[in-house]
Amino acid sequence: MKTIKTVKSMQKAMQTERRKGHRIGFVPTMGALHEGHSSLVRKARKLSDIVVVSIFVNPAQFGPSEDLANYPRTLRADKKLLRNLDVEYLFTPGNDEMYPDGFQTWIEFEEITRKLEGKFRPGHFRGVATIVAKLFNAITPDIAVFGQKDAQQAVIIKRMVQDLNMPVKISIAPTVREKSGLAISSRNRYFNAEQLDRASCIYRGLRSGRDLIRSGETDVGKIIKAVRKPIEETKGTITEYVSINDALTLEKLDRIDGKVLISLAVRLDGVRLIDNIAAAPGKSKD
Ligand code: PAF
């Protein structure tokens, strides 16, 4: 695996790969890699000839009250995991490389970032979209793989690629879960076994909502109540939001009539977790 730190060297390496006729698959990350990231790399591998992973803890997507300094940084272990997955290139630019002096160009959205996560994390998606666009320009991938766990992120990246005619295909990989159903996330490392066990209430809630939709329930209020129940019965939880939205446009819905996304953010003992599940009336498969 070759580690590259500058945009210029990355662009040069990718030009060489392209000349060889290689299809470039890309997985952007902020490091602290886990099985969820491995599944993204495996998907990129299936869809391309060489795989590039980036690790960059992007300051622009952290709010003033979010702890950028304490975000887990585990580069040595990350490199080991990526080598075991036979990743060809690792891109690890520094802050000065990505946001040099004088930087002032940002990607903004109109509607799509004002809801769900965007409401609780103002400026977050502006930071995400801008860094992803910059990474795309450095790596020039044919395919980029994102996780369904960050459902709104996946929707805004697809929107950006379409709106700005970016020549990259966005592929979304399913959420990887613990046996308990808890979505695997870098934040799970803050929990002990007992807390991990309690955190499984989140997926139980999502499943109850999905099952109600499958059985024909159309009343969004009733479904949200069913999602919240196991979560709110669990010690140490604060539900920030539970929302049911159109799976493609993220438009908020009053009644169910088609494929929807149930998404939520819950704090467990102060640690913020997000998760989501897709559901459609009568459908018994995800
Ligand atoms: O999902 C993430 O880890 C980040 O939001 C991303 C896409 C790497 C951009 O910093």
Side-chain angles (χ1 to χ4, degrees), residues 204-217 223 262 277 279-280 282-283:
R204 271 188 278 126
L206 287 171
R207 269 203 337 244
S208 306
R210 181 193 61 189
D211 292 347
L212 265 183
I213 292 173
R214 282 179 177 171
S215 68
E217 181 58 68
I223 299 160
I262 311 176
I277 199 166
K283 289 257 163 75

Side-chain angles (χ1 to χ4, degrees), residues 28-30 37 56 58 61 124 128 131-132 135 146 150 153:
T29 82
M30 297 210 297
H37 296 108
F56 177 64
N58 175 29
Q61 68 188 76
H124 172 69
V128 170
I131 200 66
V132 169
L135 292 166
F146 293 80
D150 294 306
Q153 171 170 284

Side-chain angles (χ1 to χ4, degrees), residues 38-284:
S38 301
S39 79
L40 304 184
V41 170
R42 283 190 210 104
K43 181 147 196 176
R45 162 80 53 222
K46 266 195 200 138
L47 300 171
S48 50
D49 303 308
I50 62 152
V51 177
V52 183
V53 173
S54 65
I55 296 183
F56 177 64
V57 182
N58 175 29
Q61 68 188 76
F62 286 76
S65 64
E66 297 173 23
D67 206 350
L68 169 65
N70 279 336
Y71 193 84
R73 287 162 172 88
T74 58
L75 188 58
R76 192 189 282 224
D78 292 349
K79 280 186 168 175
K80 193 169 167 208
L81 179 143
L82 296 175
R83 268 194 216 102
N84 286 339
L85 290 165
D86 296 325
V87 164
E88 280 82 0
Y89 291 92
L90 171 62
F91 184 45
T92 56
N95 279 346
D96 292 348
E97 185 67 12
M98 296 318 266
Y99 298 109
D101 280 349
F103 185 88
Q104 52 181 303
T105 306
W106 297 94
I107 293 186
E108 300 268 6
F109 298 81
E110 291 190 350
E111 274 305 313
I112 208 159
T113 56
R114 295 202 189 125
K115 50 192 104 187
L116 302 171
E117 283 300 285
K119 207 165 166 180
F120 287 84
R121 304 182 70 187
H124 172 69
F125 289 117
R126 174 190 200 248
V128 170
T130 303
I131 200 66
V132 169
K134 284 175 66 71
L135 292 166
F136 283 176
N137 283 337
I139 291 151
T140 61
D142 296 283
I143 290 156
V145 185
F146 293 80
Q148 172 62 22
K149 173 162 176 297
D150 294 306
Q152 191 174 9
Q153 171 170 284
V155 170
I156 67 138
I157 297 296
K158 280 186 180 166
R159 186 77 258 163
M160 171 179 81
V161 162
Q162 192 177 332
D163 288 352
L164 300 182
N165 306 323
M166 293 178 167
V168 51
K169 185 177 179 308
I170 302 302
S171 171
I172 307 300
T175 303
V176 181
R177 298 184 180 278
E178 307 276 6
K179 265 206 187 97
S180 67
L182 176 66
I184 292 184
S185 150
S186 312
R187 294 179 181 201
N188 296 0
R189 70 183 68 208
Y190 299 125
F191 294 135
N192 61 29
E194 181 272 329
Q195 289 171 307
L196 285 171
D197 188 46
R198 271 191 282 136
S200 65
C201 66
I202 293 173
Y203 189 55
R204 271 188 278 126
L206 287 171
R207 269 203 337 244
S208 306
R210 181 193 61 189
D211 292 347
L212 265 183
I213 292 173
R214 282 179 177 171
S215 68
E217 181 58 68
T218 58
D219 182 330
V220 163
K222 269 192 196 156
I223 299 160
I224 288 182
K225 213 166 151 192
V227 176
R228 283 177 169 268
K229 191 165 182 284
I231 299 169
E232 286 168 5
E233 283 171 357
T234 301
K235 196 180 80 181
T237 59
I238 297 171
T239 309
E240 277 189 0
Y241 67 85
V242 176
S243 187
I244 302 192
N245 300 65
D246 181 276
L248 291 179
T249 61
L250 295 186
E251 212 170 293
K252 203 161 179 174
L253 301 170
D254 297 324
R255 295 198 79 72
I256 309 291
D257 82 2
K259 189 167 177 188
V260 302
L261 187 76
I262 311 176
S263 54
L264 52 73
V266 170
R267 284 185 187 274
L268 186 108
D269 296 346
V271 177
R272 191 170 189 275
L273 300 169
I274 60 168
D275 201 351
N276 65 81
I277 199 166
K283 289 257 163 75
S284 62

